[in-house]
Amino acid sequence: MGFTNEQLERYSRHIILKEVGVKGQKRLLEGKVLIVGAGGLGAPAALYLAAAGVGTIGIADADTVDLSNLQRQVIHTTPDIGKTKVQSAKETMLAINPEITVNTYYKFVTSENIMELVSEYDFIIDGTDNFPAKFLINDACVLAKKPFSHAGIIRFQGQLLTYVPGESPCYRCVFREPPPPEAVPTCRQAGVIGAMGGVIGSLQAMEAVKYLIGKGDLLTGHLLTYDALSMSFRKIKLPRRDDCAVCGTHPTITKPFDYEQAGCDLKL
Ligand SMILES: [Zn+2]
C-alpha cells in the first residue's frame, strides 16, 4: 500500500517515529480494533484510534446518549443527546478521520453474539462498566485467542491489564468470579471523575497501537492501578493460574456464558 500525500501529512508525527515509520502506519491502517462500550473508556479510546488511522474500528453499545454521559464520554456532544451512542461515536470518529471504516453494533454484547463479533478483529478493548460484561469479554477473547485490554474506573481510581493469548494471565486468573452485585457500586452510584476515562481509556488505545505496530512491552502479566488523588501508578505483577477456569490447564469454561445480574445495570 502506497501512501497519498494527504496520508503522509496526516500521519507525519507517527511516520517520523522510528518505532512506527511507514511500516507501522501501514499496520495501523490495516488493523482492526473492536471497542465494547462507547462510554467513559470507549470514548477516548475510539477518538485516539480513529485519529491514529486504525483502518477498521468496531464499536458496540446498546445505549443512547444521555445528558449525564457528557461529563466524561467526550466523543458525544450536546446535540447528540438521544442518538444511539454507536452512531454518535461513528460520526465523531469519521469527522476526525474520514478514511477509516467504523462498524457499529447497536446491541448488547452477549454470549450469543460475542464470538462472531471478536472473530472479526485483531484486538479488543473492554470499555464496559460492569462485571458480567468484563468476564464475558475475557472468556470470549481467551477462547477465540484474541488479545484484549481490560480496564475499569470508579471515583478517582482506575485499573488496566492486557491479555495476550498464550503469554499472559487473563482477567479471570486475577479476579476469578464477579463479586455479588450488592457488594460493588456502579459508577452511577459511586461517581467518577470524567478525566479518569481520559487517562485509562487513552492507555487502552496505547496498548492497541503498540500491539498493532508490534513495538514496546504490553501490560501483560501485570495490573496497573492509578489513584488520581495521590497521583500514584502501581504496577502489580500477576501470576498465570494453572487452575484458571478458562485459560488454565483443565478449563471448565469452554464457551462464553452470561452471568445473571438481577436488578443491575447491564448497559455497556
Ligand atoms: Zn486465566
Side-chain angles (χ1 to χ4, degrees):
M1 182 186 359
F3 285 94
T4 63
N5 286 339
E6 191 185 317
Q7 285 178 316
L8 288 172
E9 189 173 343
R10 179 183 285 275
Y11 304 119
S12 59
R13 302 302 190 278
H14 276 170
I15 292 170
I16 205 168
L17 294 167
K18 72 173 170 36
E19 292 83 358
V20 184
V22 167
K23 198 172 145 195
Q25 188 60 48
K26 187 167 172 277
R27 286 188 178 182
L28 292 173
L29 289 165
E30 290 170 353
K32 296 180 176 183
V33 176
L34 174 68
I35 302 168
V36 186
L41 292 164
L47 291 173
Y48 278 110
L49 293 179
V54 172
T56 306
I57 302 173
I59 188 144
D61 197 298
D63 211 352
T64 53
V65 180
D66 182 84
L67 181 59
S68 67
N69 300 148
L70 302 184
Q71 161 261 13
R72 64 200 177 284
Q73 300 177 15
V74 291
I75 203 164
H76 313 300
T77 64
T78 304
D80 294 324
I81 291 170
K83 282 185 194 170
T84 66
K85 285 189 180 177
V86 291
Q87 181 59 28
S88 164
K90 179 178 180 172
E91 288 169 11
T92 310
M93 285 191 274
L94 292 180
I96 293 170
N97 192 345
E99 73 169 24
I100 61 166
T101 299
V102 178
N103 299 325
T104 58
Y105 307 96
Y106 177 50
K107 56 173 94 170
F108 288 107
V109 174
T110 68
S111 60
E112 297 294 313
N113 59 26
I114 192 165
M115 292 305 278
E116 193 184 339
L117 206 49
V118 302
S119 71
E120 294 172 37
Y121 293 89
D122 303 318
F123 191 93
I124 289 85
I125 288 182
D126 170 8
T128 67
D129 65 355
N130 64 84
F131 287 99
K134 292 187 180 305
F135 279 90
L136 178 66
I137 292 167
N138 178 75
D139 294 349
C141 288
V142 170
L143 294 167
K145 298 186 167 53
K146 295 285 181 179
F148 78 98
S149 166
H150 151 82
I153 50 171
I154 199 160
R155 301 189 181 103
F156 291 84
Q157 294 174 330
Q159 67 179 39
L160 190 78
L161 73 79
T162 301
Y163 169 78
V164 174
E167 287 182 24
S168 58
C170 77
Y171 178 70
R172 196 180 278 281
C173 285
V174 188
F175 297 103
R176 295 200 187 203
E177 290 281 330
E182 64 279 6
V184 280
T186 64
C187 275
R188 183 180 297 176
Q189 295 158 337
V192 63
I193 295 287
M196 287 303 306
V199 174
I200 304 295
S202 299
L203 289 176
Q204 291 188 283
M206 194 73 239
E207 288 292 275
V209 166
K210 279 158 53 192
Y211 178 80
L212 291 175
I213 66 173
K215 297 288 179 189
D217 299 320
L218 293 167
L219 187 62
T220 51
H222 293 86
L223 181 74
L224 183 74
T225 65
Y226 171 50
D227 184 321
L229 286 178
S230 61
M231 199 55 203
S232 57
F233 284 90
R234 284 179 65 208
K235 204 170 159 186
I236 303 155
K237 200 165 168 30
L238 303 173
R240 189 171 173 191
R241 300 180 55 93
D242 279 347
D243 63 348
C244 174
V246 68
C247 83
T249 42
H250 301 288
T252 52
I253 298 168
T254 53
K255 58 179 187 172
F257 66 97
D258 300 298
Y259 281 100
E260 300 280 329
Q261 200 169 22
C264 184
D265 183 9
L266 277 171
K267 284 176 184 169
L268 300 182

